[in-house]
Amino acid sequence: MLSMTRIGLAPVLGYLIIEEDFNIALGVFALAGLTDLLDGFIARNWASQKSALGSALDPLADKILISILYVSLTYADLIPVPLTYMIISRDVMLIAAVFYIRYRTLPTPRTLSKYFNPCYATARLKPTFISKVNTAVQLILVAASLAAPVFNYADSIYLQILWCLTAFTTAASAYSYYHYGRKTVQVIKGR
C-alpha cells in the first residue's frame, strides 16, 4: 500500500514541479519520503507484513519516483540534462540486468507466468555500498533542488558541487555493479 502511494505521488510531484509549485512539491516529496521510510520500518520490524509483491514494488516505486523527479527537475532547469541522462541510463541498465538475471535463473520450462510472478523469487540483487551512498546523494540533490527556488539559492555553487558529487557517485555505482557483477547477485536455490 505504501509503495503504491509512492508510485501515485510520483506523477503528482512531476506535475507540481513542471507547474513550478515548488512549495507544495517540497511537501509532497517529504510525504513520499515518509512513505518510503515507513515501508522499510514496517518490513524490518513486522515479518508478517513482508511480501514478495512488496519487495518487488518497493524498488520499482523508488525508480519511478526518482526518474520522474529528475526529468521534471531538469525540465524546470534545476538539474542539468547530462546528469539526468546519466542517472536514468544507469537505472535502465540495472533494470535490464535484473530482467536478464531473472530470465537466466528461472528453471525450465521458462514461462511468462513464472517470469512475471513476483512470488516466484529466483535471485536477489544486493546493492553495493557505493550504490547505497549514491541513492542518498541523489535524494539529497532532489531535496536541495526542490528547495532551491523556495529558499532562493538556485544559482548556488554548493548546488553545482552536489551535481558533480551525484555524477561521481552515479558513475561509481554503475561501475561497481559492472565490476562486481556476480558478487551482487544471490541466486535463491530450491525454486
Side-chain angles (χ1 to χ4, degrees):
M1 181 95 99
L2 291 168
S3 293
M4 293 302 291
T5 300
R6 213 160 49 257
I7 291 170
L9 288 174
V12 172
L13 265 168
Y15 174 79
L16 290 169
I17 292 166
I18 288 170
E19 291 297 314
E20 297 184 3
D21 200 344
F22 299 110
N23 290 320
I24 295 174
L26 200 52
V28 173
F29 176 68
L31 177 63
L34 184 64
T35 66
D36 193 24
L37 290 174
L38 190 58
D39 196 9
F41 177 78
I42 290 170
R44 279 189 301 278
N45 292 297
W46 286 282
S48 65
Q49 295 301 306
K50 283 185 181 180
S51 71
L53 180 60
S55 65
L57 276 180
D58 183 55
L60 177 65
D62 292 343
K63 295 291 181 216
I64 290 170
L65 184 64
I66 286 291
S67 296
I68 288 176
L69 283 167
Y70 271 89
V71 168
S72 56
L73 286 165
T74 299
Y75 179 85
D77 288 326
L78 293 169
I79 292 179
V81 172
L83 180 57
T84 296
Y85 179 77
M86 175 187 268
I87 289 166
I88 291 178
S89 295
R90 174 199 165 265
D91 285 349
V92 166
M93 285 188 283
L94 274 176
I95 291 167
V98 166
F99 276 109
Y100 175 74
I101 290 165
R102 173 73 171 169
Y103 175 78
R104 294 291 296 168
T105 58
L106 271 178
T108 53
R110 296 178 178 114
T111 64
L112 283 176
S113 62
K114 267 196 225 176
Y115 187 87
F116 289 106
N117 183 350
C119 297
Y120 192 72
T122 57
R124 185 174 300 124
L125 182 66
K126 297 180 290 187
T128 61
F129 174 74
I130 189 64
S131 180
K132 290 179 180 184
V133 170
N134 179 54
T135 299
V137 171
Q138 285 182 2
L139 290 171
I140 289 167
L141 177 59
V142 166
S145 298
L146 272 174
V150 174
F151 298 106
N152 201 24
Y153 64 84
D155 295 327
S156 169
I157 186 73
Y158 299 112
L159 202 52
Q160 295 171 17
I161 291 169
L162 196 49
W163 295 342
C164 294
L165 179 62
T166 305
F168 174 76
T169 62
T170 300
S173 172
Y175 177 75
S176 75
Y177 281 115
Y178 171 76
H179 181 72
Y180 294 109
R182 294 182 183 197
K183 293 178 187 173
T184 64
V185 177
Q186 175 188 4
V187 176
I188 300 169
K189 302 287 184 195
R191 286 285 180 151

